[in-house]
């Protein structure tokens, strides 16, 4: 395996199962943290070319929030969680009772809360990988940003474009008290890390 394009159907099935387990873990953690009834649907996992991922996920000029978690040790790469205004507004309403949220004027407390939510959701997937494969996965301090969707997507393109022309996209529908909204998670391990994962699983 030299590029993501070399993955076979059995590999996609494993990554989909990791997505399913991670979504369940994230739902439980978010319910406990926010006190809200939160359900995360079975994710749609697909490999998409960089430009297709942008077109599939939304308007490249739309302002969104993102949390980036870099992976290290036995799995290297990054997890990038991208959420839209509605998701941010629901989270901040849960913590601070805020009704009118502007992504471009978030204060330090709001950014801290959103970063922690992104960190928890990312670690739900990291823990799923660790549990299934017995791998030790470390992370750097998560970073938060607000920018246009296209600009945020340029980060994995620049850093990981050499491993292939595609990204692993995990699209989820999250329900806050029955209100549905989308979030996009990009799981971008290095090819070496993917090979290590599948070898641990005997694939």
């Amino acid at each position: 395996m030299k590029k993501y394009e070399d993955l076979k159907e059995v590999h996609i099935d494993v990554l989909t199962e990791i997505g399913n387990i991670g979504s369940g873990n994230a739902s439980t953690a978010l319910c406990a943290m926010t006190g809200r009834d939160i359900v995360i649907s079975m994710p749609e996992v697909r490999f998409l070319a960089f430009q297709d991922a942008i077109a599939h996920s939304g308007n490249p000029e739309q302002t969104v929030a993102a949390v980036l978690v870099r992976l290290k040790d036995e799995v290297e790469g990054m997890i990038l969680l991208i959420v839209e205004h509605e998701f941010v507004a629901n989270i901040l309403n849960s913590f601070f009772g805020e009704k009118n949220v502007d992504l471009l004027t978030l204060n330090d407390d709001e950014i801290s809360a959103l970063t922690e939510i992104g960190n928890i959701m990312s670690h739900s997937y990291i823990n799923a990988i660790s549990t299934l494969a017995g791998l030790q996965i470390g992370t750097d301090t998560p970073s938060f940003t607000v920018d246009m969707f296209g600009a945020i997507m340029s980060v994995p393109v620049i850093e990981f474009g050499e491993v292939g022309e595609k990204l692993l996209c995990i699209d989820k529908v999250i329900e806050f008290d029955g209100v549905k909204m989308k979030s996009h998670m990009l799981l971008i391990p290095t090819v070496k890390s993917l090979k290590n994962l599948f070898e641990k699983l005997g694939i």
Side-chain angles (χ1 to χ4, degrees), residues 141-162:
T141 302
S143 58
F144 177 88
T145 189
V146 171
D147 206 335
M148 290 189 297
F149 184 80
I152 289 174
M153 283 292 293
S154 69
V155 175
V157 172
I158 293 170
E159 293 199 27
F160 291 95
E162 74 276 4

Side-chain angles (χ1 to χ4, degrees), residues 27-100:
S27 180
T28 300
L30 289 179
C31 285
M33 188 172 186
T34 64
R36 301 277 294 277
D37 183 14
I38 298 175
V39 177
I40 301 178
S41 67
M42 183 178 295
E44 182 179 10
V45 180
R46 63 177 72 187
F47 276 93
L48 295 173
F50 290 118
Q51 291 303 317
D52 290 341
I54 294 174
H56 168 74
S57 301
N59 182 347
E61 296 184 359
Q62 179 183 6
T63 300
V64 296
V67 176
L68 172 66
V69 177
R70 298 184 184 277
L71 311 178
K72 58 185 180 181
D73 299 333
E74 291 188 279
V75 173
E76 298 180 330
M78 67 169 66
I79 291 180
L80 182 62
L81 174 68
I82 301 174
V83 294
E84 299 177 8
H85 177 272
E86 189 176 15
F87 180 94
V88 172
N90 271 276
I91 289 295
L92 296 183
N93 178 261
S94 298
F95 283 106
F96 308 111
E98 296 183 16
K99 300 296 183 181
N100 299 314

Side-chain angles (χ1 to χ4, degrees), residues 94-115:
S94 298
F95 283 106
F96 308 111
E98 296 183 16
K99 300 296 183 181
N100 299 314
V101 174
D102 184 347
L103 291 180
L104 298 177
T105 59
L106 298 173
N107 61 40
D108 290 344
D109 288 340
E110 293 165 341
I111 291 173
S112 178
L114 293 167
T115 302

